[in-house]
Amino acid sequence: MRPLRYSINVTLDGCCDHQAIIPDEELHRRAAEGIARADALIFGRVTYQLMESAWRPVVESGSRPDWVVDWMVPFAETIHAAKKYVVSDTLETVDWNAEIVRVADIEKTVRALKERSGEGLATGGVMLPQALVELGLIDEYEFVVHPRVAGHGRTLFSGLSKPLDLRLVDRLEYGSGAVAMRYVPKG
């Protein structure tokens, strides 16, 4: 069975707004390694559209917004090549090496994907992972905690129906002061 891994960047006060995080080369390199290790990515509509609009043009047309620097290109190439499943009831089509999964089919589809052989699956974002937590489908959690207090924004797992008890299995400190902590469910 392939594990489903969830990775998210957060500030010290739990903000997971991607604009509250200051990415660096080390962070992008490690994120690209995690994506490359996954057989497929499972995204909600919002995360999929965010990633597609940011990274697809960098690879397909060579177009680079001012914020894209050279060391970000390997991340763009890795996410561009990855197989993607997009959970959405509003999108009619996707074409960035992706397939649509309807909301009613999340549990059945993710369980079927996990049953296949391979290295694992990866997810990110906020809303879809919370639904996956509620269904007991996430096998590993990685929280990359940045040394910043945002003071605003969406926080992780707000409204979760019951506590989620985790066991720390690994940690990595970045040169920036961010700390990646990897957990698995207790039990």
Side-chain angles (χ1 to χ4, degrees), residues 63-95:
S63 167
R64 287 200 200 170
D66 294 342
W67 57 267
V68 175
V69 294
D70 289 344
W71 50 261
M72 292 178 170
V73 174
F75 177 87
E77 293 168 343
T78 303
I79 198 164
H80 182 75
K83 172 68 179 169
K84 299 161 199 79
Y85 292 90
V86 184
V87 178
S88 175
D89 281 344
T90 58
L91 292 176
E92 293 300 320
T93 62
V94 290
D95 68 346

Side-chain angles (χ1 to χ4, degrees), residues 66-155:
D66 294 342
W67 57 267
V68 175
V69 294
D70 289 344
W71 50 261
M72 292 178 170
V73 174
F75 177 87
E77 293 168 343
T78 303
I79 198 164
H80 182 75
K83 172 68 179 169
K84 299 161 199 79
Y85 292 90
V86 184
V87 178
S88 175
D89 281 344
T90 58
L91 292 176
E92 293 300 320
T93 62
V94 290
D95 68 346
W96 189 39
N97 194 21
E99 291 179 35
I100 293 178
V101 175
R102 297 300 175 200
V103 172
D105 299 328
I106 293 172
E107 184 171 11
K108 182 177 104 183
T109 301
V110 172
R111 287 192 191 285
L113 289 170
K114 288 176 67 168
E115 287 296 325
R116 295 180 189 169
S117 63
E119 294 299 313
L121 304 162
T123 191
V126 180
M127 292 172 54
L128 174 63
Q130 181 154 340
L132 296 170
V133 168
E134 295 284 4
L135 294 168
L137 294 172
I138 298 180
D139 302 294
E140 293 180 16
Y141 298 79
E142 179 184 62
F143 304 106
V144 182
V145 182
H146 294 260
R148 170 176 263 197
V149 174
H152 73 280
R154 170 177 244 152
T155 58

Side-chain angles (χ1 to χ4, degrees), residues 36-50:
R37 227 180 42 237
D39 301 311
L41 308 176
I42 304 170
F43 289 146
R45 179 192 55 82
V46 173
T47 301
Y48 170 78
Q49 289 178 319
L50 233 157

